């Protein structure tokens, strides 16, 4: 009887841990931003000011040759629009890779 109870308890705990791990990966989002960076100074400006990109940032990597910044963040605490504003506060123009460019007139509507 004790073995059966212990097995059930272990199974229940395993299920709970697996579910929690699955939920953790769901809220993490990875986005690649195309930027206007041109030098290692720009890279350092981004890497030294990661908190400016907003809350929930988990990881930031910069590819200077491609002018891309990859950001992993908690989607419950941040979104692409706020991260782009964070880049703007660092005087770095950024947009999500693969998204069509928005015109200023379209944003006013």
């Amino acid at each position: 009887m004790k073995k059966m109870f212990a097995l059930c308890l272990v199974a229940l705990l395993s299920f709970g841990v697996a579910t929690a791990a699955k939920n953790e990966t769901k809220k993490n989002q990875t986005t690649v931003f195309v930027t206007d960076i041109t030098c290692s100074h720009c890279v350092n400006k981004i890497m030294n000011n990661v908190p400016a990109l907003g809350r929930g940032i988990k990881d930031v990597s910069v590819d200077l040759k491609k002018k891309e910044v990859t950001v992993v963040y908690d989607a419950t605490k941040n979104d692409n629009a706020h991260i782009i504003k964070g880049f703007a506060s660092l005087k770095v123009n950024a947009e999500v890779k693969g998204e069509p460019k928005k015109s200023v007139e379209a944003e006013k509507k």
Side-chain angles (χ1 to χ4, degrees), residues 18-62:
T19 303
K22 186 176 180 182
N23 288 339
E24 181 68 25
T25 58
K26 279 187 178 180
K27 66 181 180 178
N28 284 343
Q29 181 170 337
T30 302
T31 304
V32 178
F33 295 90
V34 178
T35 64
D36 63 349
I37 60 175
T38 58
C39 62
S40 61
H41 174 72
C42 299
V43 173
N44 291 335
K45 180 170 45 171
I46 293 168
M47 297 306 293
N48 292 332
N49 293 290
V50 170
L53 300 180
R55 298 178 60 185
I57 302 296
K58 305 286 186 186
D59 188 37
V60 176
S61 61
V62 181

Side-chain angles (χ1 to χ4, degrees), residues 9-106:
L9 185 60
V10 168
L12 184 62
L13 287 174
S14 297
F15 178 74
V17 169
T19 303
K22 186 176 180 182
N23 288 339
E24 181 68 25
T25 58
K26 279 187 178 180
K27 66 181 180 178
N28 284 343
Q29 181 170 337
T30 302
T31 304
V32 178
F33 295 90
V34 178
T35 64
D36 63 349
I37 60 175
T38 58
C39 62
S40 61
H41 174 72
C42 299
V43 173
N44 291 335
K45 180 170 45 171
I46 293 168
M47 297 306 293
N48 292 332
N49 293 290
V50 170
L53 300 180
R55 298 178 60 185
I57 302 296
K58 305 286 186 186
D59 188 37
V60 176
S61 61
V62 181
D63 186 336
L64 180 58
K65 288 182 182 179
K66 292 182 179 180
K67 296 186 175 191
E68 294 178 352
V69 179
T70 303
V71 180
V72 179
Y73 62 94
D74 183 340
T76 63
K77 296 180 181 179
N78 210 337
D79 61 23
N80 292 337
H82 284 101
I83 293 171
I84 290 172
K85 288 179 184 177
F87 279 120
S89 74
L90 299 174
K91 298 188 177 22
V92 174
N93 293 321
E95 61 187 43
V96 176
K97 183 177 182 178
E99 278 191 2
K101 294 181 181 180
K102 294 179 182 177
S103 67
V104 175
E105 296 167 1

